[in-house]
Amino acid sequence: MDFAFIVFDWSLLLQRIFDALFNSAIYSSLALALVIIFRSTGLLNFAQGEMATFSAYIAFVLLSGAAPGVTGGGLASWIGAPLVTPLAIGLAVIIGIGAGATTERVLIRPLRNAPELALVNVTIGILLALNSLMGQWWGTGPRVFPAFFPSSPGDHIDIFGARIRFSTVGAWIVLLSLLVLLALLLRYTRAGLAFRAVSIDPESAALNGIRVGPTLMYGWALAAGLGAIAANMSANSVLLEPTMMVRVLVYAFAAATLGGLDSPKGALVGGVVIGLSQTLIPAYVPFIGFELSVLPALVAMVVVLIVRPAGLFGTQRIERV
C-alpha cells in the first residue's frame, strides 16, 4: 500500500508570519492611539483613521511641493521645492498633533458633560467631514506615496528560507520605540503624570489642582501623532486615498478591544494577534479565503472577550453594591 505524505512548507509559514508582522505593527500603532483616548475619556474615536489619513496627505503635499495635480486647498502653493522624506513626514506628524489638540479643545471639550453617544456622533461627524474634505482637495483616486523605509526588491533579510523586509523591521523599531517613549512620558514627565491621574479619576485629579481639560488635550495630541505615524508608514503599501485607513481602523478597533481598551500593552499584543490571524487563518483554512480575511480577526476578538470581557490586559471593572 502506498502512503502519501504531505510535506509542510515551513519556510512558507515563516514568510507569511513575516508578511503579517508589518500589518500587525500598523494595527498596533493605531490601536495604541485608540487606547490613549479611551483610557482618558472612555470615548472611542471613530475619526482616528481619517485624522491619520489627513496627516499622510499633508506629508504627500510636503513631499511633492507645488507639483501639478497637488492641491490641498491651496497648501501646495505655499511650498516651493519638495522636502526630503524624513522632514516632510516629521512636519506632517507635528501638524497632526496640533490638529488632534485643536479637535479636543474646539469640538470635544465643550461637550464634556454631554452623553457618550453624543460624543461618539461628533467623532463620526469628524470622520465624514475629513473624508469629504480630502476627496475635494485631493480627489478620490489612489496616489503613490514614497516608502517610509527602503522597499526595493533587495531590501530584505533572509531567515530560514523566508524574507523579512526592511519595512517590517523598521515598522517594529518605530512601534517599540514609541511604546518606550510613551512609557517614559507617562511615568517621568509632569504632563504624563497628570494624564495618568486624570485617566484614573478625573474628579480627584481636578480636586488636587490638575487641569483636566489641557491634560485631555495632551492625550488627544499624543493619539493624533501615533495615528499620523501609522498612516505614513502604511501609505506606500496600500496607496494613499481618502478611505485608506477605514479598513485598518476596523482591525485596530479589534486589536484594541482584544488587548484591552485601556491597555497600551494590550494594543501591541492585540495588533499581533489580529495581524497573524488575518493572514494565517485564510491561508490554511480554505473555506474562509482571503476575501473573508476580516472574519478570523473578529472571531479571535469574540473568543477572547467571552473568556475575558475586558480584554487580555484590560482592567476588570468591579462594582460594589
Side-chain angles (χ1 to χ4, degrees):
M1 181 181 294
D2 294 330
F3 293 91
F5 293 93
I6 299 176
V7 179
F8 190 81
D9 193 339
W10 291 101
S11 62
L12 178 59
L13 172 62
L14 188 59
Q15 184 63 60
R16 285 170 171 160
I17 291 174
F18 287 160
D19 292 340
L21 286 177
F22 178 79
N23 289 336
S24 296
I26 303 302
Y27 300 156
S28 295
S29 299
L30 198 58
L32 186 59
L34 295 170
V35 164
I36 288 175
I37 293 180
F38 184 85
R39 186 173 180 176
S40 57
T41 65
L43 174 67
L44 286 174
N45 181 15
F46 285 88
Q48 194 73 64
E50 305 305 299
M51 294 169 65
T53 305
F54 192 83
S55 297
Y57 268 111
I58 296 297
F60 175 75
V61 173
L62 295 174
L63 287 164
S64 303
V70 178
T71 55
L75 176 63
S77 62
W78 304 344
I79 303 169
L83 301 180
V84 296
T85 301
L87 181 58
I89 292 177
L91 286 175
V93 171
I94 292 173
I95 293 172
I97 290 173
T102 302
T103 299
E104 191 282 332
R105 182 64 186 88
V106 175
L107 298 176
I108 303 299
R109 195 182 305 180
L111 300 174
R112 184 190 307 169
N113 298 321
E116 290 186 5
L117 182 59
L119 291 173
V120 169
N121 287 335
V122 169
T123 66
I124 294 175
I126 296 171
L127 181 156
L128 296 174
L130 286 178
N131 191 277
S132 300
L133 184 63
M134 289 185 289
Q136 180 181 348
W137 282 4
W138 292 288
T140 57
R143 295 176 181 266
V144 178
F145 192 88
F148 196 86
F149 301 103
S151 58
S152 63
D155 291 329
H156 63 264
I157 302 171
D158 292 313
I159 301 177
F160 299 118
R163 297 178 175 181
I164 182 169
R165 296 173 296 169
F166 287 169
S167 57
T168 301
V169 176
W172 274 96
I173 290 174
V174 170
L175 175 59
L176 295 176
S177 299
L178 289 173
L179 282 171
V180 171
L181 181 60
L182 180 63
L184 294 175
L185 285 173
L186 295 179
R187 179 166 296 187
Y188 296 110
T189 67
R190 185 174 180 179
L193 292 173
F195 180 78
R196 291 173 61 191
V198 170
S199 300
I200 295 171
D201 191 337
E203 290 77 12
S204 297
L207 291 174
N208 282 279
I210 296 176
R211 300 174 63 194
V212 175
T215 302
L216 294 179
M217 185 171 66
Y218 174 79
W220 274 77
L222 278 178
L226 290 168
I229 292 172
N232 281 282
M233 286 196 297
S234 61
N236 174 258
S237 61
V238 300
L239 296 180
L240 180 61
E241 55 185 338
T243 59
M244 177 184 72
M245 298 296 283
V246 171
R247 190 176 180 87
V248 176
L249 185 66
V250 172
Y251 290 119
F253 269 129
T257 305
L258 188 152
L261 282 168
D262 60 351
S263 172
K265 178 172 62 175
L268 173 64
V269 175
V272 173
V273 173
I274 295 299
L276 291 177
S277 63
Q278 173 201 9
T279 300
L280 297 181
I281 294 179
Y284 294 105
V285 182
F287 68 86
I288 292 181
F290 287 96
E291 292 79 8
L292 292 175
S293 60
V294 69
L295 182 61
L298 296 179
V299 170
M301 179 184 70
V302 171
V303 169
V304 169
L305 292 181
I306 290 174
V307 180
R308 288 185 60 85
L312 292 174
F313 300 97
T315 302
Q316 299 283 349
R317 298 186 180 276
I318 300 175
E319 295 186 5
R320 291 182 173 87
V321 178

